[in-house]
Amino acid sequence: MGRKPLAKFLLVLAGLLALAVPAANAAETLVLTCTVCTEVIVTGKGLPGSEQVRVSLVDVKTGGEVADQFYVDTDENGAFVKKVPVDLTKHPSLESTVWKNDGGVLVVAAHSRFTAAPCEPKEVLSFTGSNTPLLLGLGLVLLVAGGLLVRGSRRAYRPAH
């Protein structure tokens, strides 16, 4: 492969990766908060507007549901707020999921710290988010660096005749 086809290939590949980066950022958000140890406030934003979505709350440690799954209607902006009775002294680490009516997952959130003072957990789970844009950028940099190394090695290689 000559210089120009390699450069064109890398340029096209970089363009395709650049198109994929905005798609990796989800617009949906799901937040769990509390002010007392007996209820969790589930807040969703950026979801489909004026639709019914299903929400579940699961204990992170046991994997069991801490409350029955429930349906909630989003407003025209795709937001909702719902108070759910949960004993946070028994279930200090929660994961919540919002599902579409067809069963597709919209967004997942896991939390282990709540602001209710008497029910603070002893063990803390770290909150890990998506690093997709960062990983795509790193992959692009490594791909370009590899292409430059291959190109440079072809210039430096002079076979003996």
Side-chain angles (χ1 to χ4, degrees):
M1 199 181 255
R3 280 192 223 171
K4 287 189 179 186
L6 178 63
K8 287 180 184 178
F9 173 74
L10 290 175
L11 186 61
V12 169
L13 188 59
L16 290 174
L17 286 173
L19 289 175
V21 170
N25 293 330
E28 304 96 1
T29 58
L30 179 62
V31 178
L32 304 177
T33 56
C34 72
T35 54
V36 294
C37 291
T38 57
E39 75 179 9
V40 173
I41 302 167
V42 182
T43 306
K45 294 180 183 175
L47 302 166
S50 303
E51 285 191 24
Q52 193 176 57
V53 293
R54 182 172 40 113
V55 181
S56 66
L57 281 172
V58 175
D59 187 311
V60 172
K61 290 183 181 181
T62 65
E65 288 191 356
V66 297
D68 290 334
Q69 293 184 5
F70 58 90
Y71 288 89
V72 64
D73 294 320
T74 61
D75 63 13
E76 62 274 355
N77 297 321
F80 74 88
V81 176
K82 177 77 174 178
K83 291 183 180 181
V84 182
V86 174
D87 185 358
L88 294 174
T89 57
K90 293 181 183 176
H91 309 286
S93 302
L94 297 176
E95 178 181 83
S96 184
T97 308
V98 175
W99 307 82
K100 295 180 187 178
N101 279 336
D102 64 4
V105 177
L106 286 171
V107 65
V108 176
H111 296 274
S112 64
R113 282 191 189 173
F114 290 96
T115 57
C119 52
E120 290 180 3
K122 303 281 188 274
E123 300 173 29
V124 177
L125 298 175
S126 61
F127 178 73
T128 57
S130 173
N131 292 324
T132 305
L134 180 64
L135 292 174
L136 284 173
L138 177 63
L140 178 63
V141 167
L142 291 173
L143 189 63
V144 169
L148 292 173
L149 285 172
V150 168
R151 188 172 132 204
S153 68
R154 286 188 178 171
R155 276 191 207 163
Y157 179 68
R158 305 262 188 238
H161 293 282

